[in-house]
Amino acid sequence: MKANPYPDMVNPTDTWSGSRKDMMFGDTKVELHFLGLNHGMGMTVFVLPKERIAYIADLVTPNRVIFAVVPDFNPREWERSLSEILALDFDRAVFSHNEGANPLQGGGKEEIQAQLAFIQDLRAGFYAELQKGTNPFLIPSVLKLPKYENWVGYDQWLEMNIWRILSDEFMGPFPWYDVEAK
């Protein structure tokens, strides 16, 4: 935030580090869960345990394939983070982006599981094509995932999603840094 200030942005007065912090706002407890490098440098999932609600920004967009080439995402870490989110104790979730039929109603673990399945199916499909002997650079134009063809962005972004998997598998993840070393 200090490196990229905006005129209408106010820097926080309280900060935290580590993988979890609990905060109280009156009698409302909010759990902050930092799940590592999955998207950006500080993606946090918020859980209100009494209300059994989670707020998940960007890591899950129900009924939509991944946006373009998913800049500043680390797909393998994203998969790990989604599995950890599924293990958190909540029933309902609010998503910052939602292409569902009733986006304001939020969702639940089903949408998180579907996002995880999409990333896993994308990677599995990529490797299945490699096993068939498909030239890696042709896979983005060959691989289809019909299970997701009704998701928003399928025709526009699926090839770019596959290019991202290809580049991460052959060149290593981006972004990456050692979270523990800081």
Side-chain angles (χ1 to χ4, degrees):
M1 295 172 108
K2 289 178 184 176
N4 297 293
Y6 289 89
D8 62 344
M9 183 175 72
V10 176
N11 283 324
T13 56
D14 293 325
T15 61
W16 65 287
S17 61
S19 60
R20 174 152 173 201
K21 178 172 177 73
D22 292 352
M23 299 181 76
M24 294 298 297
F25 299 93
D27 65 345
T28 301
K29 179 179 178 180
V30 179
E31 301 172 357
L32 288 74
H33 296 268
F34 173 66
L35 302 173
L37 186 63
N38 44 45
H39 172 39
M41 303 294 273
M43 183 58 59
T44 301
V45 172
F46 301 87
V47 176
L48 284 75
K50 181 178 165 189
E51 294 80 2
R52 303 192 52 74
I53 296 173
Y55 173 73
I56 304 166
D58 296 351
L59 297 174
V60 178
T61 301
N63 301 309
R64 187 184 87 189
V65 299
I66 301 168
F67 173 72
V69 292
V70 285
D72 87 336
F73 274 83
N74 181 318
R76 285 201 184 269
E77 286 297 297
W78 191 0
E79 289 178 59
R80 179 197 49 75
S81 295
L82 290 171
S83 294
E84 290 181 22
I85 292 169
L86 286 166
L88 295 175
D89 193 18
F90 65 91
D91 298 321
R92 302 286 303 153
V94 176
F95 307 105
S96 61
H97 309 285
N98 190 336
E99 299 291 344
N102 297 304
L104 296 179
Q105 290 182 1
K109 292 189 176 183
E110 179 180 314
E111 288 82 1
I112 300 161
Q113 183 59 53
Q115 185 77 70
L116 177 58
F118 175 75
I119 299 168
Q120 292 171 333
D121 290 347
L122 195 61
R123 187 179 316 286
F126 174 78
Y127 276 104
E129 287 296 329
L130 278 180
Q131 289 293 322
K132 287 192 237 176
T134 306
N135 179 324
F137 297 106
L138 295 178
I139 294 174
S141 62
V142 172
L143 179 59
K144 303 297 177 213
L145 298 174
K147 175 179 173 181
Y148 305 99
E149 66 188 0
N150 293 322
W151 281 19
V152 171
Y154 180 86
D155 293 330
Q156 298 86 356
W157 299 331
L158 183 66
E159 283 190 36
M160 288 186 265
N161 292 182
I162 299 164
W163 276 108
R164 180 53 189 267
I165 296 299
L166 181 151
S167 65
D168 271 23
E169 294 303 304
F170 289 154
M171 298 174 62
F174 172 82
W176 183 91
Y177 79 101
D178 187 343
V179 175
E180 300 301 320
K182 299 196 192 270

